Amino acid sequence: MTRGRGLRALLLVGVLCTSALVSSARQGGLAPDVTALRIGTPRPGGGYTVQTIPLETYIGRVLAGEAARDSAPAALEALAVAIRTFALANRDRHRADGFDLCDETHCQVVRPATPATERAAAATAGQVLMHGGLVATVFYSASCGGRTEIPSDVWPGADDPPYLPIMDDDACAGGPRWSAELAQEDLLRALKAAGFRGDRLRGVRVASRNRSGRVARLAVDGLTPTEISGQDLRLAVGRTLGWQYIRSAAFELQVLSGAYRFTGHGYGHGVGMCVIGSTNMAARGATAAAILAKYFPGTTIETAGPRMAPVAPTPPSIAAAPKSAPPSPAATNPAATNIVTPRVPTDVLVVLPDDDEGERVSIARAVVQARDDMAQLLGMPSPGRVTLRFHPTTDDYERATGRAWFTAGAVVGDELHLLPLAVLRERGVLDRTIRHELVHLMADSVLAGRPAWVREGAASYFAGERPIPGEPLDRPAPRVEPRTPCPADGELLQPVSVGTLANAYARARSCFARQVVAGKSWRDVK
């Protein structure tokens, strides 16, 4: 999930922000035979072209796509370690698509390697960042603007490991400074594309800031929901209008006549390594190891050899290793120990837009809990694999599912498609929507051929939705409303508004609950 083209241009014109995640996506040790990766390139009109690239060749090519222009060797080497860790820890990110990683911003940008990036890949061959015996969760962005950020203030629910602190960074000198004006109608368009509803934007103001000084929440007057986080506003504007406007959440907001002026500094989310800061450090003589130690304090650099057999930490300075050949694992430590990644679900695939990647692990864990809860309630085995696909905009969701934005989620084939993560979270329906669609995934085949109200009623009932005041959210309750007419298929499958759909859901749940409370098995409701 990087924006390498922005990094290459940032020193010149500051086009895009860069962010990369090295996530703990797989359980167990590094695979002993990872010498190549399957890389997917999007084709016009859909689908991917897949090619297999040797691992270290891939590192050199990604460096060419992600590094700041004219970086010193130490800066390239530091970034190479992060890129390699990402590749090894996230090889199954595109498992649902039949390959390992894509070559776009969602994973890491691939470009033709240069002699300098090839040398950096060779000088650090096999090296990854570790913490407590586990692969570290590493982020980087184009510029932190002088102060780094913690993950949870960017991606709610993300872990905040001790090696990703809030800290001042004098290396990037607080740049770049930027300013942009957005006409009120353009800002409204971006917010509506992100899922906000309403015809008139009456005002926007900063409501709170987080510990790093970035904008935490903004009040949005005239729209629903009534608030948005600073990071989500950056994403909404970037995806709709372009990333050159709100470059980070470190900004001041001024209301003009018919427009809003954003004045800020930094580029990207600001978590972890500041690439511009690392470039400046290298230019001043810092080694790659010193750069990594500054931005990821407490981590160690460990080496996996030609067949990815892990070994003990390397000496303190990467730069001390001979540049003519990769370090030899056997020479470093003949009694190698296993490098393991944190325990995370491997049977839950979460497909996220690149700027939401920091929430992958926390969402996957929540899905596992919801899946197991729903399986127990239904008396069914858990599905072998669950794939959730969060769309970047409500328009994307509607195109992919054929459903209106206010449906929130839909099952297409064997995948769960959902509205943008920020929209579901702002509305307070993220967990409920996941549970609702999981019930569909597990129960719809049993209830096939019956009226739509049976399937939707089951999903609402077992997901714990609450059309009846006072009912608990987490489990079905025995109370039901007085007899009401069950909704017709069209009311549920082709709703004309959010209000009519909510009414149809409530009636469907009541009709379903009536039969279950009377003693009928959910499998026999009709």
Side-chain angles (χ1 to χ4, degrees), residues 187 191 196 203-209 214-221 225-234 246 248-249 251-254 260-262 426:
L187 185 56
L191 290 169
F196 282 71
V204 180
R205 61 178 175 82
V206 174
S208 64
R209 295 183 181 272
R214 292 171 172 83
V215 173
R217 310 293 300 175
L218 296 106
V220 182
D221 187 18
T226 59
E227 286 192 338
I228 187 171
S229 73
Q231 292 290 346
D232 289 338
L233 179 67
R234 181 175 72 88
I246 304 178
S248 76
F251 62 78
E252 301 291 337
L253 175 60
Q254 181 182 1
Y260 296 90
R261 176 177 294 158
F262 297 84
E426 294 286 352

Side-chain angles (χ1 to χ4, degrees), residues 5 34 65 70 91 123 152 230 333 337 354 413 419 428 481 505 508 525:
R5 286 165 290 186
V34 180
D70 299 324
R91 287 190 303 125
S152 64
N333 182 5
T337 56
D354 54 343
L419 285 177
E481 289 181 325
Y505 273 156
V525 173

Side-chain angles (χ1 to χ4, degrees), residues 145-525:
R147 190 167 174 80
T148 61
E149 182 64 281
I150 56 174
S152 64
D153 277 342
V154 179
W155 306 286
D159 294 333
D160 292 324
Y163 52 84
L164 292 176
I166 294 175
M167 63 180 183
D168 292 332
D169 180 15
D170 58 358
C172 77
R177 305 278 176 181
W178 53 267
S179 180
E181 288 187 15
L182 287 177
Q184 182 165 301
E185 57 267 25
D186 288 333
L187 185 56
L188 175 61
R189 178 160 60 92
L191 290 169
K192 293 183 75 169
F196 282 71
R197 297 295 149 180
D199 295 326
R200 183 186 173 197
L201 179 61
R202 291 195 290 268
V204 180
R205 61 178 175 82
V206 174
S208 64
R209 295 183 181 272
N210 59 30
R211 286 169 287 174
S212 73
R214 292 171 172 83
V215 173
R217 310 293 300 175
L218 296 106
V220 182
D221 187 18
L223 303 183
T224 302
T226 59
E227 286 192 338
I228 187 171
S229 73
Q231 292 290 346
D232 289 338
L233 179 67
R234 181 175 72 88
L235 301 185
V237 171
R239 290 167 179 166
T240 306
L241 306 176
W243 299 98
Q244 71 274 22
Y245 293 105
I246 304 178
R247 303 183 184 185
S248 76
F251 62 78
E252 301 291 337
L253 175 60
Q254 181 182 1
V255 181
L256 307 176
S257 177
Y260 296 90
R261 176 177 294 158
F262 297 84
T263 304
H265 56 277
Y267 218 152
H269 51 64
V271 180
M273 181 190 290
C274 172
V275 174
I276 297 306
S278 70
T279 302
N280 291 337
M281 287 182 66
R284 298 168 189 167
T287 65
I291 293 170
L292 292 169
K294 172 184 174 63
Y295 289 108
F296 309 113
T299 60
T300 59
I301 303 162
E302 302 193 15
T303 302
R307 286 179 56 78
M308 301 303 114
V311 299
T314 58
S317 173
I318 298 178
K323 298 298 181 68
S324 58
S328 167
T332 307
N333 182 5
T337 56
N338 285 332
I339 296 177
V340 297
T341 54
R343 182 183 297 273
V344 294
T346 58
D347 56 350
V348 172
L349 300 180
V350 181
V351 181
L352 290 160
D354 54 343
D355 291 291
D356 292 329
E357 280 294 343
E359 305 197 47
R360 176 181 299 277
V361 174
S362 61
I363 290 174
R365 290 172 178 163
V367 173
V368 169
Q369 182 63 59
R371 178 197 63 187
D372 294 346
D373 286 348
M374 296 301 98
Q376 182 178 6
L377 285 173
L378 294 168
M380 300 180 70
S382 294
R385 188 175 77 176
V386 176
T387 300
L388 284 83
R389 190 174 297 273
F390 287 87
H391 290 272
T393 67
T394 53
D395 289 345
D396 287 332
Y397 168 81
E398 291 181 329
R399 284 193 294 268
T401 64
R403 305 293 302 277
W405 64 270
F406 48 78
T407 56
V411 176
V412 180
D414 58 354
E415 290 188 349
L416 277 60
H417 288 248
L418 297 102
L419 285 177
L421 181 60
V423 173
L424 295 174
R425 185 166 276 137
E426 294 286 352
R427 295 177 184 168
V429 296
L430 174 60
D431 291 339
R432 190 168 66 192
T433 300
I434 290 173
R435 296 163 82 90
H436 184 109
E437 300 309 323
L438 282 170
V439 175
H440 278 302
L441 185 67
M442 289 186 268
D444 275 7
S445 60
V446 177
L447 302 174
R450 301 180 206 184
W453 70 260
V454 177
R455 297 187 296 277
E456 291 297 344
S460 295
Y461 184 86
F462 286 109
E465 295 170 29
R466 197 163 100 184
I468 304 170
E471 284 191 345
L473 282 170
D474 56 345
R475 289 291 184 269
R479 294 175 58 247
V480 297
E481 289 181 325
R483 181 172 295 276
T484 56
C486 301
D489 284 4
E491 295 179 79
L492 292 162
L493 302 180
Q494 291 93 34
V496 297
S497 70
V498 63
T500 59
L501 181 61
N503 178 270
Y505 273 156
R507 288 156 52 208
R509 183 174 190 264
S510 183
C511 289
F512 184 89
R514 207 159 39 229
Q515 295 192 34
V516 172
V517 170
K520 184 175 289 189
S521 166
W522 70 267
R523 298 170 181 266
D524 299 325
V525 173

